[in-house]
Amino acid sequence: MAKYGEGDKRWIVEDRPDGANVHNWHWAETDCLGWSRDLLTKLLNNLTVLDGEGNLYLRTKTVDKVDGEAYVNVRKGKIIPGYEISLSLSWEGEAKDGDGKSLLKVDGVVEIPYISDENADEDPEVKVSVKDEGPIGRRIKEAMVAKGKPLILEKVRFYVESMAKGGPAKEEVEAKKIAPKSNSTAVGAAAATAKKEVVVEKKEVKKKESKKGFKTISLTEKFSCRAKDMFEILMDENRWKGFTQSNAKISKEVGGPISIFDGSVTGTNLELQSGSLIVQKWRFGSWPDGIDSTVRLILEEPEPGLTVVKLTHTDIPVEDRYGNATVVENTERGWRDLIFQRIRAVFGFGI
């Protein structure tokens, strides 16, 4: 990967007297390293990992280092991110006895040696270390690996998605979009109308063709809980915030809006049957405009204390708006790792 500022000069536009890069025809390159440091610091500083579960208290402290390079290239509105960065994050932990007396306080470091656009569809390696390697120190470290690592990876995925959307250049790209100019003469107006009709027709054809590129996810998961408890968790925004460690707003009314994972997923409640059925419209921010999927969660309780969740997630696009063909794979992994596994871990519903 070429370093920032060392791209092929045939693709780097020279400054015009008016500073314009018309239609972003040439490459417009934006350095994103400083922006990356700021975003990752915001995402990873002062995260609560455990707050008394198992008499353990874990939290991240500060992002101490973000090194490497990060940039975004834009040409004709197409966003191409490039980044190779490493990250160092300090954390602290404490173990207490049953009476609340402190047994040990430790400091540690989380290192992510390689976050790269070349591996954007894979989670990077995460190394967790602790300064005290005694029995209690190892126990605290193991808890940080089990609980802290998934949380940190979730935040890193958000950074990767933000870079794919243009990072700090996203607003600039939107601002430079040029609206069609109106013509003053009747002939010009007629021509513009005809052109608009042709464009609309092409878009409709494209939308019909893209219907071939949709997939369905079907999963069946078992939990050690009552069906009504699972329903309440899935429909309660405060519990969503708890097990995903991200912002959530969830209406409990049919037709009401939902927003989860810090707004990365938005949608609407289509059908709700307390304790047994949730049907929602879901849309991911990285999907092409106008595309919505349908989530159907059936909750069954074949015996008291055992709940079976049957998920059917339909109309998932094969590619996102940037041409990445990992949407279905990432969505299924999100359901397994970021939702179902988190619910088991946080609420103790594992079997």
Side-chain angles (χ1 to χ4, degrees), residues 192-206:
T193 301
K195 183 177 181 181
K196 183 177 181 182
E197 290 175 354
V198 172
V199 171
V200 171
E201 182 179 351
K202 287 183 178 179
K203 284 185 177 179
E204 290 176 350
V205 171
K206 184 177 181 180

Side-chain angles (χ1 to χ4, degrees), residues 14 127 141 275:
E14 299 294 337
K127 299 179 180 179
K141 175 185 174 181

Side-chain angles (χ1 to χ4, degrees), residues 168-209:
K170 180 181 179 181
E171 293 183 2
E172 180 181 348
V173 172
E174 295 296 325
K176 288 185 176 180
K177 288 183 178 179
I178 301 174
K181 295 181 179 179
S182 61
N183 295 316
S184 57
T185 64
V187 175
T193 301
K195 183 177 181 181
K196 183 177 181 182
E197 290 175 354
V198 172
V199 171
V200 171
E201 182 179 351
K202 287 183 178 179
K203 284 185 177 179
E204 290 176 350
V205 171
K206 184 177 181 180
K207 186 173 182 181
K208 290 180 180 178
E209 292 176 349

Side-chain angles (χ1 to χ4, degrees), residues 258-276:
I258 63 171
S259 174
I260 55 179
F261 293 110
D262 291 323
S264 296
V265 179
T266 56
T268 308
N269 292 323
L270 300 179
E271 184 178 356
L272 299 173
Q273 295 179 17
S274 181
S276 61

Side-chain angles (χ1 to χ4, degrees), residues 37-103:
R37 286 195 183 102
D38 291 342
L39 178 59
L40 288 166
T41 296
K42 179 180 177 182
L43 291 171
L44 294 171
N45 276 11
N46 299 315
L47 293 176
T48 298
V49 178
L50 286 178
D51 190 21
E53 295 89 336
N55 293 324
L56 296 178
Y57 298 80
L58 304 175
R59 74 176 187 93
T60 65
K61 294 169 67 177
T62 59
V63 173
D64 300 317
K65 181 183 68 173
V66 176
D67 290 337
E69 58 179 345
Y71 57 83
V72 167
N73 284 321
V74 180
R75 181 173 183 264
K76 295 191 71 178
K78 183 175 178 62
I79 298 169
I80 303 179
Y83 49 92
E84 290 180 354
I85 60 176
S86 61
L87 181 150
S88 179
L89 170 69
S90 60
W91 63 277
E92 64 182 11
E94 181 180 11
K96 295 184 179 181
D97 62 18
D99 297 325
K101 181 181 178 181
S102 179
L103 298 175

